[in-house]
Amino acid sequence: MDLRYSDSDERFRAELRAWLEDALPSLPPKPGQDNWPARRAWDTRWQQMLFEAGYAGIDWPSEVEGRGATPTEHLIFLEETERAGAPYVGVNFVGLLHAGPTLIAEGTPEQKQRHLPRILRGEEVWCQGFSEPGAGSDLAALSTKAVRDGDHYVVTGQKIWTSFAHVADHCELLVRTDPDAPKHKGITWLIMPMDAKGIEIQPLRTITGSTEFSQMFLDEVRIPVENRVGEENDGWRVAMVTFSFERGTAFVGELIRTMSLVEHVAGLAQRIPRGDGKAWDDPGLRRDLGRIAAELDALWALTRRNVTQAERGTGVPGLGGSVFKLAYSEVRARLGDLTMKLLDRAALGMEDVGGIESGIHVERWFQSMSLTIAAGTSQIQRNIVGERILGLPKEPAV
Amino acid sequence: MNFDLGDDERALQQGMRDVCKRLFPMDRVRALEDAGGIDRTLWHELGQAGVFSLRQPESEGGVGLGMTEAALVYEELGRALVPGPVISTHLSVPLIEGALDGQRVVGLIDRERTPPVVGQLPALDTLVVIDPKGLWLVDPQHLGAIPVRQPLDPLTPMYLLEHLPKGDKIAGPKEVARWRREGAVLAAAMLVGIASACTEAAVAYAKERKQFGRPIGSFQAVKHICADMLVREEVARVGTYAAAVMCDDPGAGDVDRAVAGARLLAGDAALANGKASIQVHGGMGYTWEVDAHLYLKRAVLMSTRFGKSDDLAEAVAGTLAP
């Protein structure tokens, strides 16, 4: 085992770092949370810059205009962009991390040709239409139905937690095409153009006050059969392919951000007065923070192990990700709780209060709560770890 | 970067696991209770297997490996519940003759930790006293000591020292720092082994034990305990491996922070998994008959060695100050 990067990895890092130093100052200020047209423009502009510099689709194969980098280079890319404070994928999230990789693995040559380069250039934004009010953790319980009518599917139903629906050009949509088949067998994966007739979008305001998610109502939306990815009724398998991309390096940026957040909280504690001294004088607080920092260090090591295994093609893809996600979301939540306690009454606003930089921490505390829910709740992750890694018997099927 | 076991490392790990299975099957480990935890023949065999000479250069009769390999080996010793001062004997190899091949049993006591209790005193050939100024040799045979009537870990009889003499200095502060750092990594590795053995035992029991007509491991309430055990074990393991790698290659990161963090997480994982294993085993887990209590007790013992969780957490926090 070793933790050193190779010389070629370090060269890649140096080039990237130099480019970032050059490129970042030319970015205009980031638009406000809920100014969606401006956010789309800002996020896709960054994507365009990455594309022009040869850093778009860092882990995508070169045949589809990606960079074809190794998992280690991908890790370095995430590390350097995060450390430099570069924008993260933003509204390009679904296209770059979900739909694109799914098309690479399962799309037809026409679908690849049509969408992949546009996703990489920031010309096409995607949203995710998987979840439904009655099908969250039990995703296969979805009921949005698609009926074949000549060379179209006619789709009717409701989707929820549709990230970025109001700025997207396309949606990765799961529909039920065979209501009589066992629930995992009758599902199909479709590309839905968001300008099709019959789509109604209602923004969903979250706990932080932002409107990243929507509910989407579909009323006889006509989708050409050529937009189907994979075979009819084989969508569950395709969706599992989509999910396997979500794990592995998906949380690297998050992790690095949280590691610097710990330092920031330590800094705050050294400034916030308590009694005759500072909050930092409390050994309980210091130890809690020290423990959190130790766990994040270990998760950084776990990331490196997962990346090594990805590079070698060993291990079961995605499973290291479940261990990571469980541990990370838990430590992140503890850091949030500790910070709220530290901020005390300065936490009573969503912006900085009383000269204490509390706004960002309050927002991140709320965000930390989504980690144990999004992309598979911690309870579902524990089932995955218990059944697929430890080999414990499945729950009886219902 | 290559942060996963290579072929040689896997072979070493498997080899050590086999040695432990041969030398320390659970019935023999349990029988060691009567021998005060140490059997000289087995100790010598551990020496023959390279457990103590692992990191000594080949020119000096050792195996010439690093901390990375030592962490893998000591994880297996922890998993097998091997009793006795294996870490201090290993650390004393460059300083004390006869430690290398298991001819001597070298104990360790930290002068700053109270009460002054030391394990397996009658079986020790040498006792090393550690304090900030140096390492000191004390003859264990002439120490006034009261046996602790019922030791927490049945395989580690404890003795309360009435007086700890100054001893003969054998090394200075630099060596003290090495002992503390490397001892913490080896202790972390043994704690990871304990945590891992607990997961394994709980999972095996959850697959086999039936209630309400089904294996209890099919119930989420039990399955989730097991999943959390694996998560704690894995996080502590990678942290420990990273700390070991940094000991071998100090430029690869903040060694002291990594070591303190690893030892902290490994102690937490072993204790939590020890308790969780008893919970999964239910009433039987609370009996002397099932092995679960032995792992929890060893976890308690090992978590008092080479660091204390509050101090370790403070040490990591100290690196956060801007």
Short mmCIF file of all heavy atoms in Angstrom, two decimals, chain B residues 42-95:
data_model
loop_
_atom_site.label_atom_id
_atom_site.label_comp_id
_atom_site.label_asym_id
_atom_site.label_seq_id
_atom_site.Cartn_x
_atom_site.Cartn_y
_atom_site.Cartn_z
N LEU B 42 4.19 -21.13 23.00
CA LEU B 42 3.43 -20.37 22.00
C LEU B 42 4.11 -19.03 21.72
O LEU B 42 4.16 -18.56 20.57
CB LEU B 42 2.00 -20.14 22.48
CG LEU B 42 1.08 -21.36 22.47
CD1 LEU B 42 -0.27 -21.01 23.11
CD2 LEU B 42 0.86 -21.86 21.05
N TRP B 43 4.64 -18.42 22.78
CA TRP B 43 5.33 -17.13 22.63
C TRP B 43 6.52 -17.29 21.69
O TRP B 43 6.75 -16.47 20.80
CB TRP B 43 5.78 -16.63 24.00
CG TRP B 43 6.16 -15.18 24.01
CD1 TRP B 43 7.42 -14.66 23.97
CD2 TRP B 43 5.26 -14.07 24.06
NE1 TRP B 43 7.37 -13.29 23.99
CE2 TRP B 43 6.05 -12.90 24.05
CE3 TRP B 43 3.87 -13.95 24.12
CZ2 TRP B 43 5.49 -11.62 24.08
CZ3 TRP B 43 3.32 -12.67 24.16
CH2 TRP B 43 4.13 -11.53 24.14
N HIS B 44 7.24 -18.37 21.89
CA HIS B 44 8.39 -18.65 21.05
C HIS B 44 7.94 -18.88 19.60
O HIS B 44 8.59 -18.42 18.66
CB HIS B 44 9.12 -19.89 21.60
CG HIS B 44 10.44 -20.11 20.94
ND1 HIS B 44 11.46 -19.19 20.97
CD2 HIS B 44 10.90 -21.16 20.22
CE1 HIS B 44 12.49 -19.65 20.29
NE2 HIS B 44 12.17 -20.85 19.82
N GLU B 45 6.83 -19.58 19.47
CA GLU B 45 6.31 -19.82 18.11
C GLU B 45 5.90 -18.51 17.43
O GLU B 45 6.09 -18.34 16.22
CB GLU B 45 5.12 -20.78 18.15
CG GLU B 45 5.56 -22.19 18.58
CD GLU B 45 4.96 -23.26 17.69
OE1 GLU B 45 4.88 -23.03 16.46
OE2 GLU B 45 4.57 -24.32 18.24
N LEU B 46 5.34 -17.59 18.21
CA LEU B 46 5.03 -16.26 17.65
C LEU B 46 6.32 -15.61 17.16
O LEU B 46 6.35 -14.97 16.11
CB LEU B 46 4.37 -15.37 18.71
CG LEU B 46 2.89 -15.56 19.00
CD1 LEU B 46 2.45 -14.62 20.13
CD2 LEU B 46 2.04 -15.28 17.76
N GLY B 47 7.38 -15.77 17.96
CA GLY B 47 8.69 -15.24 17.57
C GLY B 47 9.17 -15.88 16.26
O GLY B 47 9.63 -15.19 15.35
N GLN B 48 9.00 -17.19 16.17
CA GLN B 48 9.41 -17.90 14.96
C GLN B 48 8.62 -17.41 13.75
O GLN B 48 9.12 -17.39 12.63
CB GLN B 48 9.17 -19.43 15.11
CG GLN B 48 9.97 -20.07 16.21
CD GLN B 48 11.47 -20.02 15.95
OE1 GLN B 48 12.13 -19.01 16.20
NE2 GLN B 48 12.01 -21.10 15.42
N ALA B 49 7.37 -17.08 13.98
CA ALA B 49 6.52 -16.60 12.88
C ALA B 49 6.87 -15.17 12.46
O ALA B 49 6.31 -14.64 11.51
CB ALA B 49 5.05 -16.68 13.28
N GLY B 50 7.80 -14.53 13.19
CA GLY B 50 8.27 -13.20 12.79
C GLY B 50 7.48 -12.04 13.38
O GLY B 50 7.66 -10.90 12.98
N VAL B 51 6.61 -12.34 14.34
CA VAL B 51 5.75 -11.31 14.90
C VAL B 51 6.56 -10.18 15.56
O VAL B 51 6.20 -9.01 15.50
CB VAL B 51 4.77 -11.95 15.91
CG1 VAL B 51 4.11 -10.91 16.80
CG2 VAL B 51 3.72 -12.77 15.16
N PHE B 52 7.69 -10.55 16.18
CA PHE B 52 8.50 -9.54 16.87
C PHE B 52 9.61 -8.98 15.98
O PHE B 52 9.99 -7.83 16.09
CB PHE B 52 9.09 -10.13 18.16
CG PHE B 52 8.05 -10.79 19.03
CD1 PHE B 52 8.15 -12.13 19.39
CD2 PHE B 52 6.93 -10.07 19.46
CE1 PHE B 52 7.18 -12.73 20.18
CE2 PHE B 52 5.95 -10.67 20.23
CZ PHE B 52 6.07 -12.01 20.59
N SER B 53 10.14 -9.82 15.09
CA SER B 53 11.31 -9.42 14.29
C SER B 53 10.93 -8.77 12.96
O SER B 53 11.80 -8.39 12.18
CB SER B 53 12.15 -10.67 13.99
OG SER B 53 11.37 -11.60 13.25
N LEU B 54 9.62 -8.68 12.75
CA LEU B 54 9.07 -8.20 11.49
C LEU B 54 9.77 -6.98 10.88
O LEU B 54 10.06 -6.93 9.69
CB LEU B 54 7.61 -7.85 11.79
CG LEU B 54 6.64 -7.55 10.70
CD1 LEU B 54 6.47 -8.77 9.81
CD2 LEU B 54 5.30 -7.19 11.34
N ARG B 55 10.06 -5.97 11.71
CA ARG B 55 10.58 -4.73 11.16
C ARG B 55 12.07 -4.56 11.40
O ARG B 55 12.65 -3.53 11.04
CB ARG B 55 9.80 -3.55 11.75
CG ARG B 55 8.36 -3.51 11.25
CD ARG B 55 7.65 -2.28 11.70
NE ARG B 55 7.74 -2.15 13.14
CZ ARG B 55 8.12 -1.04 13.76
NH1 ARG B 55 8.43 0.03 13.08
NH2 ARG B 55 8.20 -1.02 15.07
N GLN B 56 12.71 -5.56 12.01
CA GLN B 56 14.15 -5.49 12.20
C GLN B 56 14.81 -5.75 10.83
O GLN B 56 14.35 -6.61 10.09
CB GLN B 56 14.56 -6.57 13.23
CG GLN B 56 15.95 -6.46 13.73
CD GLN B 56 16.16 -5.25 14.64
OE1 GLN B 56 15.26 -4.43 14.81
NE2 GLN B 56 17.35 -5.13 15.17
N PRO B 57 15.87 -4.99 10.49
CA PRO B 57 16.53 -5.23 9.19
C PRO B 57 17.00 -6.68 9.08
O PRO B 57 17.34 -7.31 10.10
CB PRO B 57 17.74 -4.29 9.21
CG PRO B 57 17.46 -3.30 10.28
CD PRO B 57 16.51 -3.91 11.24
N GLU B 58 17.02 -7.18 7.86
CA GLU B 58 17.44 -8.57 7.64
C GLU B 58 18.86 -8.80 8.13
O GLU B 58 19.19 -9.87 8.64
CB GLU B 58 17.32 -8.92 6.16
CG GLU B 58 15.87 -9.10 5.72
CD GLU B 58 15.74 -9.47 4.25
OE1 GLU B 58 16.05 -10.62 3.91
OE2 GLU B 58 15.33 -8.59 3.46
N SER B 59 19.72 -7.76 7.99
CA SER B 59 21.11 -7.89 8.43
C SER B 59 21.19 -8.13 9.94
O SER B 59 22.20 -8.60 10.45
CB SER B 59 21.90 -6.64 8.05
OG SER B 59 21.28 -5.51 8.65
N GLU B 60 20.13 -7.78 10.65
CA GLU B 60 20.13 -7.97 12.11
C GLU B 60 19.19 -9.08 12.54
O GLU B 60 18.68 -9.09 13.67
CB GLU B 60 19.78 -6.65 12.81
CG GLU B 60 20.90 -5.62 12.67
CD GLU B 60 20.45 -4.21 13.01
OE1 GLU B 60 19.73 -4.05 14.01
OE2 GLU B 60 20.80 -3.28 12.26
N GLY B 61 18.93 -9.97 11.61
CA GLY B 61 18.14 -11.16 11.96
C GLY B 61 16.64 -10.97 11.86
O GLY B 61 15.87 -11.84 12.26
N GLY B 62 16.22 -9.83 11.29
CA GLY B 62 14.79 -9.58 11.18
C GLY B 62 14.26 -9.89 9.80
O GLY B 62 14.94 -10.49 8.96
N VAL B 63 13.01 -9.45 9.57
CA VAL B 63 12.35 -9.73 8.29
C VAL B 63 12.46 -8.53 7.35
O VAL B 63 12.29 -8.65 6.14
CB VAL B 63 10.87 -10.11 8.54
CG1 VAL B 63 10.22 -10.64 7.27
CG2 VAL B 63 10.73 -11.16 9.65
N GLY B 64 12.75 -7.35 7.93
CA GLY B 64 12.99 -6.17 7.10
C GLY B 64 11.75 -5.55 6.48
O GLY B 64 11.84 -4.91 5.44
N LEU B 65 10.59 -5.73 7.12
CA LEU B 65 9.37 -5.12 6.58
C LEU B 65 9.08 -3.81 7.32
O LEU B 65 9.84 -3.41 8.20
CB LEU B 65 8.20 -6.10 6.72
CG LEU B 65 8.33 -7.39 5.90
CD1 LEU B 65 7.23 -8.37 6.26
CD2 LEU B 65 8.32 -7.10 4.40
N GLY B 66 7.95 -3.17 6.98
CA GLY B 66 7.63 -1.87 7.57
C GLY B 66 6.40 -1.90 8.46
O GLY B 66 5.84 -2.96 8.75
N MET B 67 5.98 -0.71 8.88
CA MET B 67 4.78 -0.58 9.71
C MET B 67 3.52 -1.03 8.98
O MET B 67 2.57 -1.53 9.58
CB MET B 67 4.58 0.88 10.16
CG MET B 67 5.38 1.29 11.37
SD MET B 67 5.14 0.21 12.80
CE MET B 67 3.53 0.72 13.33
N THR B 68 3.51 -0.82 7.67
CA THR B 68 2.33 -1.21 6.89
C THR B 68 2.07 -2.70 7.06
O THR B 68 0.95 -3.13 7.34
CB THR B 68 2.56 -0.87 5.41
OG1 THR B 68 2.97 0.49 5.33
CG2 THR B 68 1.31 -1.08 4.59
N GLU B 69 3.15 -3.49 6.93
CA GLU B 69 3.01 -4.94 7.08
C GLU B 69 2.72 -5.30 8.54
O GLU B 69 1.94 -6.20 8.82
CB GLU B 69 4.28 -5.65 6.60
CG GLU B 69 4.51 -5.58 5.10
CD GLU B 69 5.19 -4.29 4.64
OE1 GLU B 69 5.57 -3.48 5.52
OE2 GLU B 69 5.33 -4.09 3.43
N ALA B 70 3.37 -4.56 9.45
CA ALA B 70 3.16 -4.85 10.87
C ALA B 70 1.70 -4.63 11.25
O ALA B 70 1.12 -5.39 12.04
CB ALA B 70 4.07 -3.96 11.73
N ALA B 71 1.08 -3.61 10.66
CA ALA B 71 -0.33 -3.34 10.97
C ALA B 71 -1.19 -4.53 10.54
O ALA B 71 -2.10 -4.95 11.27
CB ALA B 71 -0.80 -2.07 10.27
N LEU B 72 -0.87 -5.11 9.39
CA LEU B 72 -1.65 -6.27 8.92
C LEU B 72 -1.47 -7.45 9.86
O LEU B 72 -2.42 -8.16 10.18
CB LEU B 72 -1.20 -6.67 7.50
CG LEU B 72 -1.44 -5.63 6.41
CD1 LEU B 72 -0.82 -6.07 5.09
CD2 LEU B 72 -2.93 -5.37 6.24
N VAL B 73 -0.24 -7.67 10.31
CA VAL B 73 0.05 -8.79 11.21
C VAL B 73 -0.63 -8.60 12.56
O VAL B 73 -1.26 -9.51 13.09
CB VAL B 73 1.58 -8.94 11.37
CG1 VAL B 73 1.93 -9.84 12.55
CG2 VAL B 73 2.18 -9.48 10.07
N TYR B 74 -0.56 -7.38 13.10
CA TYR B 74 -1.12 -7.15 14.43
C TYR B 74 -2.65 -7.14 14.41
O TYR B 74 -3.30 -7.47 15.40
CB TYR B 74 -0.49 -5.92 15.10
CG TYR B 74 0.82 -6.33 15.74
CD1 TYR B 74 1.90 -6.68 14.94
CD2 TYR B 74 0.94 -6.48 17.11
CE1 TYR B 74 3.08 -7.15 15.49
CE2 TYR B 74 2.12 -6.95 17.68
CZ TYR B 74 3.18 -7.28 16.87
OH TYR B 74 4.34 -7.78 17.43
N GLU B 75 -3.21 -6.80 13.26
CA GLU B 75 -4.66 -6.91 13.13
C GLU B 75 -5.08 -8.38 13.33
O GLU B 75 -6.08 -8.67 13.99
CB GLU B 75 -5.08 -6.43 11.74
CG GLU B 75 -6.58 -6.46 11.51
CD GLU B 75 -6.98 -5.97 10.12
OE1 GLU B 75 -6.20 -5.22 9.49
OE2 GLU B 75 -8.07 -6.35 9.67
N GLU B 76 -4.28 -9.30 12.79
CA GLU B 76 -4.61 -10.72 12.94
C GLU B 76 -4.43 -11.18 14.39
O GLU B 76 -5.19 -12.00 14.88
CB GLU B 76 -3.75 -11.57 11.99
CG GLU B 76 -4.03 -11.32 10.51
CD GLU B 76 -5.51 -11.37 10.18
OE1 GLU B 76 -6.22 -12.28 10.67
OE2 GLU B 76 -5.98 -10.48 9.44
N LEU B 77 -3.42 -10.64 15.07
CA LEU B 77 -3.24 -10.99 16.49
C LEU B 77 -4.45 -10.53 17.30
O LEU B 77 -4.91 -11.22 18.21
CB LEU B 77 -1.96 -10.36 17.06
CG LEU B 77 -0.63 -10.80 16.43
CD1 LEU B 77 0.54 -10.08 17.10
CD2 LEU B 77 -0.44 -12.31 16.50
N GLY B 78 -4.96 -9.36 16.95
CA GLY B 78 -6.14 -8.85 17.64
C GLY B 78 -7.36 -9.72 17.34
O GLY B 78 -8.11 -10.08 18.24
N ARG B 79 -7.51 -10.08 16.07
CA ARG B 79 -8.64 -10.90 15.66
C ARG B 79 -8.65 -12.24 16.41
O ARG B 79 -9.69 -12.73 16.81
CB ARG B 79 -8.56 -11.15 14.15
CG ARG B 79 -9.73 -11.95 13.57
CD ARG B 79 -9.46 -12.39 12.13
NE ARG B 79 -9.03 -11.28 11.30
CZ ARG B 79 -9.85 -10.40 10.75
NH1 ARG B 79 -11.14 -10.51 10.93
NH2 ARG B 79 -9.38 -9.41 10.04
N ALA B 80 -7.44 -12.81 16.61
CA ALA B 80 -7.35 -14.12 17.25
C ALA B 80 -7.33 -14.02 18.77
O ALA B 80 -7.23 -15.03 19.44
CB ALA B 80 -6.10 -14.84 16.75
N LEU B 81 -7.38 -12.80 19.28
CA LEU B 81 -7.41 -12.59 20.73
C LEU B 81 -6.13 -13.12 21.40
O LEU B 81 -6.17 -13.63 22.52
CB LEU B 81 -8.64 -13.30 21.31
CG LEU B 81 -9.49 -12.55 22.32
CD1 LEU B 81 -9.92 -11.19 21.82
CD2 LEU B 81 -10.73 -13.36 22.69
N VAL B 82 -5.00 -12.96 20.70
CA VAL B 82 -3.72 -13.42 21.25
C VAL B 82 -3.39 -12.57 22.49
O VAL B 82 -3.34 -11.34 22.38
CB VAL B 82 -2.60 -13.28 20.19
CG1 VAL B 82 -1.23 -13.55 20.80
CG2 VAL B 82 -2.88 -14.22 19.03
N PRO B 83 -3.20 -13.19 23.64
CA PRO B 83 -2.91 -12.40 24.84
C PRO B 83 -1.41 -12.15 25.02
O PRO B 83 -0.59 -12.77 24.35
CB PRO B 83 -3.43 -13.29 25.97
CG PRO B 83 -3.39 -14.69 25.44
CD PRO B 83 -3.32 -14.63 23.93
N GLY B 84 -1.09 -11.23 25.93
CA GLY B 84 0.32 -10.98 26.25
C GLY B 84 0.83 -9.70 25.63
O GLY B 84 0.20 -9.14 24.72
N PRO B 85 1.97 -9.22 26.12
CA PRO B 85 2.50 -7.92 25.68
C PRO B 85 3.21 -8.04 24.33
O PRO B 85 4.43 -7.85 24.23
CB PRO B 85 3.46 -7.54 26.80
CG PRO B 85 3.94 -8.84 27.35
CD PRO B 85 2.81 -9.82 27.19
N VAL B 86 2.46 -8.34 23.30
CA VAL B 86 3.06 -8.54 21.97
C VAL B 86 3.62 -7.23 21.42
O VAL B 86 4.64 -7.23 20.72
CB VAL B 86 2.06 -9.17 20.97
CG1 VAL B 86 1.88 -10.65 21.25
CG2 VAL B 86 0.72 -8.46 20.98
N ILE B 87 2.96 -6.11 21.72
CA ILE B 87 3.41 -4.84 21.14
C ILE B 87 4.72 -4.40 21.78
O ILE B 87 5.68 -4.05 21.08
CB ILE B 87 2.34 -3.75 21.29
CG1 ILE B 87 1.08 -4.15 20.51
CG2 ILE B 87 2.87 -2.41 20.80
CD1 ILE B 87 -0.08 -3.17 20.65
N SER B 88 4.78 -4.43 23.12
CA SER B 88 6.02 -3.93 23.75
C SER B 88 7.20 -4.86 23.45
O SER B 88 8.33 -4.39 23.31
CB SER B 88 5.83 -3.73 25.25
OG SER B 88 5.18 -4.83 25.85
N THR B 89 6.93 -6.14 23.31
CA THR B 89 8.02 -7.05 22.94
C THR B 89 8.54 -6.70 21.54
O THR B 89 9.74 -6.62 21.30
CB THR B 89 7.55 -8.52 23.02
OG1 THR B 89 7.09 -8.78 24.35
CG2 THR B 89 8.68 -9.49 22.69
N HIS B 90 7.59 -6.44 20.64
CA HIS B 90 7.95 -6.05 19.27
C HIS B 90 8.76 -4.74 19.27
O HIS B 90 9.80 -4.65 18.62
CB HIS B 90 6.66 -5.89 18.46
CG HIS B 90 6.84 -5.34 17.09
ND1 HIS B 90 6.83 -6.14 15.98
CD2 HIS B 90 7.06 -4.08 16.64
CE1 HIS B 90 7.02 -5.38 14.90
NE2 HIS B 90 7.15 -4.12 15.29
N LEU B 91 8.27 -3.75 20.01
CA LEU B 91 8.95 -2.45 20.00
C LEU B 91 10.34 -2.51 20.62
O LEU B 91 11.22 -1.73 20.28
CB LEU B 91 8.10 -1.40 20.75
CG LEU B 91 6.77 -1.02 20.11
CD1 LEU B 91 5.96 -0.11 21.04
CD2 LEU B 91 7.00 -0.32 18.76
N SER B 92 10.54 -3.47 21.54
CA SER B 92 11.82 -3.52 22.25
C SER B 92 12.92 -4.25 21.48
O SER B 92 14.06 -4.28 21.93
CB SER B 92 11.61 -4.19 23.62
OG SER B 92 11.39 -5.57 23.44
N VAL B 93 12.55 -4.80 20.32
CA VAL B 93 13.53 -5.61 19.56
C VAL B 93 14.89 -4.94 19.36
O VAL B 93 15.92 -5.56 19.61
CB VAL B 93 12.91 -6.11 18.23
CG1 VAL B 93 13.97 -6.58 17.25
CG2 VAL B 93 11.92 -7.23 18.51
N PRO B 94 14.94 -3.66 18.93
CA PRO B 94 16.27 -3.08 18.73
C PRO B 94 17.03 -2.84 20.04
O PRO B 94 18.23 -2.60 20.02
CB PRO B 94 15.99 -1.74 18.05
CG PRO B 94 14.54 -1.72 17.73
CD PRO B 94 13.86 -2.74 18.57
N LEU B 95 16.34 -2.89 21.18
CA LEU B 95 16.95 -2.49 22.45
C LEU B 95 17.24 -3.67 23.38
O LEU B 95 18.14 -3.60 24.21
CB LEU B 95 16.03 -1.51 23.20
CG LEU B 95 15.66 -0.21 22.49
CD1 LEU B 95 14.57 0.52 23.26
CD2 LEU B 95 16.89 0.67 22.33
#
